[in-house]
Amino acid sequence: MIEINEIRSIPEPTLRRLPLYLYFLKNLANHGILEVSTTKIANEFKQDPTQIRKDLGYLGTLGKPKVGYEVPVLIEAIETFLNWNNTTEAFIVGAGNLGMAMIGYEQFSKYGIKIIAAFDNDSEKIGIHIKDVPVLSISKLTDLIKRMHVHVGIITVPAESAQSAADLLIEGGIKAIWNFAPVNLKVPEDIIIEDAQFATSLAVLSRKLMEINNINLEKV
Amino acid sequence: MIEINEIRSIPEPTLRRLPLYLYFLKNLANHGILEVSTTKIANEFKQDPTQIRKDLGYLGTLGKPKVGYEVPVLIEAIETFLNWNNTTEAFIVGAGNLGMAMIGYEQFSKYGIKIIAAFDNDSEKIGIHIKDVPVLSISKLTDLIKRMHVHVGIITVPAESAQSAADLLIEGGIKAIWNFAPVNLKVPEDIIIEDAQFATSLAVLSRKLMEINNINLEKV
């Protein structure tokens, strides 16, 4: 039974901070700390308390005057908000190095996602199991999405195969794609795309490193 | 010999788009297409041509009136801007599933980064090689960073070990950290941190999916 929550539009930067708040709060709970003030959270994240109050305000009215927040209540609220206390099943396309690592990554269960099958076109991989997850032929992908009502597809194929993987996922009826290939996927407007390309991170890292090296050289 | 480039401050969203432009341009070059107009790039990325012109403007004055851009010139300019035509050596801390996948990920060479050693505290892993990359004891990390002048550290340890891994990297003299652990790392201000946590991506994906599911339920 799915409850209909109120839909609140939340700014993406806030959404991206919630998992970090959650980890911090769980750490507090593990140390037996059951109450936390906005100021303490603000100090931990080097943010303004106003920002923290605003971010957590999206979860509902949870703060108490003077006390701040009850840690277990806040943990529960973030997990519910992110739907991490339910499990969403996902298919992964591409059982190469990255795909295999993701299948083996036990932390995903904490984040409400479970990879239930992998798909590849390499005949040597088809039929094997990686930690109980079967690797199936890519030819079965579309049909299985339909039959199993899977909503999330993860793309870990090389760049040149990424668009065709996305097309198959969408043909099957997937609603959200988590894309690791360094490609600008073309998808219908109602498909959720979350890009998590290593290339993007490395562009930022590499350029910033170059800039500080240049600054240091100029100081010489 | 390192050339001192002019340091231009570039907005991070632009920086994050450059690898996608690069992939698109390389694809054109592979198909023998040597010139591209701003409009064509804009259509590919569903962006306004003004935005494309602005983004590529950070690379210097490369566009020609009427012709647009020469594809090989633009490829070279982006790679130089990102320093991807030089190789930056990196250490990785944490040789678990994710760490091993990253060591095996051959695409990194395209992005100017080379993982030259992995560090772990698991005695069963210490001494093995993953694709020619040795797994060494974490106790050697700080000393080796100093001796080898390594500037980039990648953190793929579990959340609870991430801060201590960061501390060791910084003690050794690392300048930039690529962090995969779902933790808000505390580092001095001059250290570059690029967060690439799966938890963050999954927060966005999961919440958006929940929202569209709610919308669909409400329509019933």
Side-chain angles (χ1 to χ4, degrees):
Chain A
M1 174 80 194
I2 303 164
E3 279 182 30
I4 299 178
N5 290 20
E6 190 189 339
I7 297 163
R8 298 157 182 274
S9 179
I10 179 171
E12 205 163 302
T14 297
L15 194 46
R16 291 183 182 276
R17 282 191 288 268
L18 291 180
L20 296 174
Y21 296 150
L22 182 62
Y23 178 76
F24 171 64
L25 293 163
K26 284 192 167 177
N27 219 354
L28 292 182
N30 286 343
H31 287 85
I33 299 166
L34 298 178
E35 285 173 355
V36 64
S37 66
T38 310
T39 316
K40 194 171 172 191
I41 304 175
N43 288 344
E44 170 71 20
F45 291 93
K46 290 180 187 159
Q47 293 229 5
D48 195 80
T50 319
Q51 181 67 62
I52 303 291
R53 236 172 258 123
K54 208 174 157 190
D55 281 357
L56 298 179
Y58 286 99
L59 306 171
T61 316
L62 299 169
K64 292 180 181 180
K66 291 187 184 170
V67 176
Y69 297 92
E70 287 179 39
V71 173
V73 171
L74 207 44
I75 289 174
E76 168 78 19
I78 296 176
E79 287 184 335
T80 303
F81 190 86
L82 297 177
N83 201 25
W84 281 3
N85 34 23
N86 286 308
T87 301
T88 302
E89 294 183 332
F91 280 167
I92 188 164
V93 189
N97 277 312
L98 180 61
M100 294 232 245
M102 297 198 65
I103 294 166
Y105 195 63
E106 284 152 16
Q107 304 298 315
F108 283 150
S109 60
K110 284 190 200 166
Y111 310 143
I113 202 153
K114 190 181 177 192
I115 297 172
I116 55 168
F119 296 83
D120 207 292
N121 59 8
D122 179 348
S123 58
E124 288 190 14
K125 283 177 188 157
I126 295 165
I128 65 166
H129 282 71
I130 305 162
K131 295 209 178 184
D132 294 336
V133 175
V135 181
L136 307 172
S137 164
I138 189 87
S139 64
K140 294 187 177 165
L141 177 61
T142 302
D143 188 44
L144 278 175
I145 295 169
K146 286 180 191 164
R147 278 167 49 197
M148 299 183 69
H149 304 287
V150 172
H151 290 175
V152 176
I154 306 171
I155 294 182
T156 49
V157 297
E160 57 273 20
S161 314
Q163 184 61 53
S164 62
D167 294 345
L168 289 174
L169 287 168
I170 293 162
E171 194 190 326
I174 221 89
K175 292 179 177 174
I177 293 175
W178 194 14
N179 175 38
F180 284 82
V183 178
N184 179 48
L185 294 176
K186 285 170 190 154
V187 302
E189 274 190 8
D190 58 341
I191 302 292
I192 299 161
I193 291 275
E194 172 65 17
D195 284 315
Q197 294 116 339
F198 291 162
T200 315
S201 275
L202 283 174
V204 177
L205 200 76
S206 176
R207 179 66 199 178
K208 286 187 182 167
L209 195 57
M210 195 178 170
E211 288 184 0
I212 62 164
N213 283 340
N214 285 347
I215 291 165
N216 291 341
L217 277 174
E218 285 180 347
K219 279 186 191 156
V220 176
Chain B
M1 175 79 192
I2 303 165
E3 277 182 31
I4 299 178
N5 291 18
E6 189 188 340
I7 296 163
R8 298 158 183 272
S9 181
I10 178 171
E12 205 163 302
T14 297
L15 194 46
R16 292 183 181 275
R17 282 192 288 269
L18 291 181
L20 296 174
Y21 296 149
L22 181 63
Y23 177 76
F24 171 65
L25 293 163
K26 284 192 168 178
N27 220 352
L28 292 182
N30 286 343
H31 287 84
I33 300 166
L34 299 178
E35 285 173 356
V36 64
S37 66
T38 311
T39 315
K40 193 171 173 190
I41 304 175
N43 288 344
E44 169 71 19
F45 291 93
K46 290 180 186 157
Q47 293 229 5
D48 195 82
T50 320
Q51 182 67 62
I52 303 291
R53 234 172 258 122
K54 208 173 157 190
D55 281 357
L56 298 179
Y58 286 98
L59 306 171
T61 314
L62 299 169
K64 292 182 182 177
K66 291 186 184 172
V67 176
Y69 297 91
E70 286 180 41
V71 173
V73 172
L74 207 45
I75 289 174
E76 168 79 18
I78 295 177
E79 287 184 335
T80 304
F81 190 86
L82 297 177
N83 201 25
W84 281 3
N85 35 21
N86 286 308
T87 301
T88 303
E89 295 184 331
F91 281 167
I92 188 163
V93 189
N97 276 313
L98 180 61
M100 294 231 244
M102 298 198 66
I103 294 166
Y105 195 64
E106 283 152 17
Q107 305 298 315
F108 283 149
S109 60
K110 285 191 198 165
Y111 310 143
I113 202 152
K114 190 181 177 189
I115 298 172
I116 54 168
F119 295 84
D120 207 291
N121 59 7
D122 180 348
S123 59
E124 288 190 14
K125 283 178 187 157
I126 294 166
I128 67 167
H129 282 71
I130 305 162
K131 295 209 178 186
D132 294 337
V133 176
V135 181
L136 307 172
S137 164
I138 189 87
S139 64
K140 293 187 177 167
L141 177 60
T142 302
D143 188 44
L144 277 174
I145 295 169
K146 285 180 190 162
R147 278 168 50 198
M148 300 182 71
H149 305 286
V150 172
H151 290 174
V152 176
I154 306 171
I155 294 183
T156 49
V157 296
E160 57 274 18
S161 314
Q163 184 63 52
S164 64
D167 293 345
L168 288 174
L169 287 167
I170 293 163
E171 194 191 327
I174 221 89
K175 292 179 177 173
I177 292 175
W178 194 14
N179 175 38
F180 284 82
V183 177
N184 181 47
L185 294 176
K186 285 169 190 157
V187 303
E189 276 190 7
D190 59 341
I191 302 292
I192 299 161
I193 292 274
E194 173 65 16
D195 283 316
Q197 293 118 340
F198 291 161
T200 314
S201 275
L202 282 175
V204 178
L205 201 74
S206 176
R207 179 68 199 176
K208 287 187 182 168
L209 194 57
M210 196 179 172
E211 288 182 2
I212 62 164
N213 284 339
N214 286 347
I215 290 165
N216 292 340
L217 278 175
E218 286 178 347
K219 279 187 192 155
V220 175

